[in-house]
Amino acid sequence: MAGDFDQSASEPETTEPRSSVVDAALYRDGKRISTPSSLAETYRQLREDAGAMAWIGLFRPSDAELMSLADEFDLHPLSVEDAMEAHQRPKLERYGETLFVVLRAARYLDAVEEVDFAELHLFVGPGFVITVRHGAAPNLSAVRRRMEDSPDLLRLGPEAVLYAVLDAVVDGYVPVVAGVSNDVDEIETEVFGRDPSVSRRIYELSREVLEFQRATRPLSVMMRDLEAGFDKYSTDEELQRYLRDVADHVVEVTERVDGFRQVLQDILAVNATLVTQQQNEEMKALTEASYEQNEELKKISAWAAILFAPTLVGTIYGMNFTHMPEVDWVFGYPMAILLMAMVCAGLFVVFRRRGWL
């Protein structure tokens, strides 16, 4: 059985345009009755069997293919335009009898410790479901197998497929939450370990959590909107229970993601405090070192001045001039020595009082 696998891998070049149809099937009473080979064949068989339901899975379809689907299933131009652009926030809109749903699936990449987000669009109408993927997640082939293995659920119609896709997307958030939680724990350890690169990691993880919030928060509103239409659109009671279970999981995931945002903000504040404290300690150490250097410089300068005094006197008296005062005086030498000692003693006393020595 063909599945909604990722066709992003390179394929041999052909003269025929590559089809984005991953799997197209017709179902009746919860069982696959046909696997058309093209969109045109799907349209033809669905017209011939009014009681059947078509489930068409597409991966990055061309504009021409989307326009073909719009013409066949009377899709609203605005929803088709959104599916073409593929940069939408999660939302649920109803155009007549057709629901247009935008979801943001996520998966955690262990190798790079990052969260990869992918966009998924669904058109759900009377007798048809169209899924348009623009990324690797979620694995819709597994969703299709699950539904085909549960014919009692699949026979409930297009809304049952919508439930299964919603459930797969929300369940896909669980390992992402676990991965982000582990990253938060590691960051807490790095913060108190004074890892210099932790600030960058906090910033990057905060951005991923913010993106995660944008993917999960709208789901609560979407599930409430679906629940509000249960009576109006006569949704099966069993399916209502399934959808409410998904809504409960959405609330749980949303609360965990909001908690991550708050924890990261607290960690960022603690890290800023620790960085400031470390900078203050470094500045204090530099100040103390500078003070010690100044004290040493004072001592060196003081001793240099003291030693300079006798050197000056000795230099003057060492000049070999004939007519020089005190040269022939008997007390000239003792007087010079005494003068040197007095100057040195005086400078020593002055520097000592100033605290330089």
Side-chain angles (χ1 to χ4, degrees):
M1 179 189 71
D4 288 11
F5 53 85
D6 189 342
Q7 290 189 350
S8 58
S10 59
E11 297 178 357
E13 292 186 0
T14 62
T15 57
E16 296 294 329
R18 183 185 66 84
S19 173
S20 67
V21 179
V22 180
D23 193 3
L26 265 63
Y27 299 89
R28 187 190 306 113
D29 293 329
K31 296 181 180 179
R32 183 188 285 240
I33 59 174
S34 176
T35 305
S37 58
S38 64
L39 288 178
E41 181 66 16
T42 303
Y43 303 157
R44 185 187 65 79
Q45 292 187 21
L46 189 60
R47 293 192 199 104
E48 292 175 355
D49 191 345
M53 179 191 74
W55 182 353
I56 303 172
L58 306 173
F59 179 77
R60 293 177 181 168
S62 65
D63 293 353
E65 288 173 318
L66 285 174
M67 293 307 299
S68 171
L69 290 164
D71 292 338
E72 180 66 25
F73 296 106
D74 193 25
L75 305 180
H76 196 280
L78 291 178
S79 63
V80 175
E81 181 181 348
D82 287 345
M84 289 179 179
E85 293 179 359
H87 292 289
Q88 307 296 319
R89 292 183 66 113
K91 61 182 179 179
L92 183 148
E93 296 177 345
R94 186 176 291 276
Y95 298 97
E97 295 185 322
T98 302
L99 275 175
F100 175 62
V101 181
V102 178
L103 300 172
R104 295 290 304 280
R107 58 176 182 162
Y108 186 79
L109 305 178
D110 289 319
V112 291
E113 294 185 341
E114 292 180 356
V115 182
D116 177 50
F117 295 94
E119 198 162 321
L120 172 65
H121 299 175
L122 291 92
F123 297 90
V124 182
F128 71 89
V129 177
I130 302 169
T131 59
V132 180
R133 288 192 301 123
H134 292 278
N139 182 7
L140 294 184
S141 62
V143 176
R144 192 183 289 265
R145 287 194 300 269
R146 172 193 171 191
M147 293 300 288
E148 291 181 349
D149 290 340
S150 305
D152 290 339
L153 180 59
L154 185 55
R155 70 164 50 98
L156 297 179
E159 285 191 343
V161 177
L162 173 60
Y163 149 73
V165 174
L166 284 169
D167 189 50
V169 170
V170 175
D171 284 348
Y173 292 150
V174 175
V176 178
V177 168
V180 173
S181 178
N182 183 66
D183 288 344
V184 171
D185 292 340
E186 291 179 357
I187 284 176
E188 288 181 332
T189 302
E190 291 174 3
V191 164
F192 291 102
R194 302 293 180 91
D195 190 329
S197 63
V198 71
S199 297
R200 181 181 181 87
R201 190 175 182 188
I202 294 173
Y203 172 74
E204 292 175 347
L205 187 58
S206 296
R207 291 189 61 182
E208 290 184 353
V209 170
L210 179 60
E211 191 70 18
F212 205 180
Q213 280 186 316
R214 291 173 179 169
T216 57
R217 275 188 174 179
L219 291 179
S220 297
V221 178
M222 292 167 58
M223 298 308 297
R224 285 197 296 269
D225 290 344
L226 280 175
E227 187 173 355
F230 284 168
D231 294 334
K232 181 177 180 180
Y233 297 100
S234 302
T235 303
D236 183 85
E237 290 186 5
E238 184 68 13
L239 188 56
Q240 289 183 30
R241 284 191 283 270
Y242 283 126
L243 288 169
R244 289 193 180 100
D245 181 65
V246 174
D248 292 340
H249 292 166
V250 167
V251 172
E252 181 180 351
V253 169
T254 302
E255 290 177 349
R256 289 292 305 277
V257 176
D258 290 344
F260 290 148
R261 184 77 184 279
Q262 184 60 49
V263 168
L264 285 172
Q265 288 178 348
D266 294 341
I267 291 176
L268 189 61
V270 170
N271 184 61
T273 301
L274 292 175
V275 169
T276 301
Q277 182 180 352
Q278 183 176 2
Q279 291 175 342
N280 290 339
E281 291 174 355
E282 292 174 354
M283 288 298 297
K284 181 180 179 181
L286 289 173
T287 301
E288 291 176 351
S290 177
Y291 176 78
E292 291 176 359
Q293 290 176 352
N294 288 337
E295 291 300 311
E296 293 297 325
L297 185 59
K298 287 179 182 179
K299 293 180 181 180
I300 294 172
S301 300
W303 284 113
I306 293 172
L307 294 176
F308 177 73
T311 303
L312 177 63
V313 175
T315 301
I316 294 175
Y317 277 89
M319 295 180 181
N320 296 320
F321 293 108
T322 302
H323 302 288
M324 189 173 181
E326 294 89 20
V327 171
D328 296 326
W329 184 34
V330 115
F331 295 106
Y333 179 74
M335 185 63 185
I337 296 297
L338 180 61
L339 179 62
M340 293 180 191
M342 291 176 62
V343 172
C344 290
L347 290 174
F348 182 83
V349 171
V350 170
F351 289 136
R352 190 61 177 266
R353 287 180 176 179
R354 291 181 175 269
W356 287 30
L357 291 174

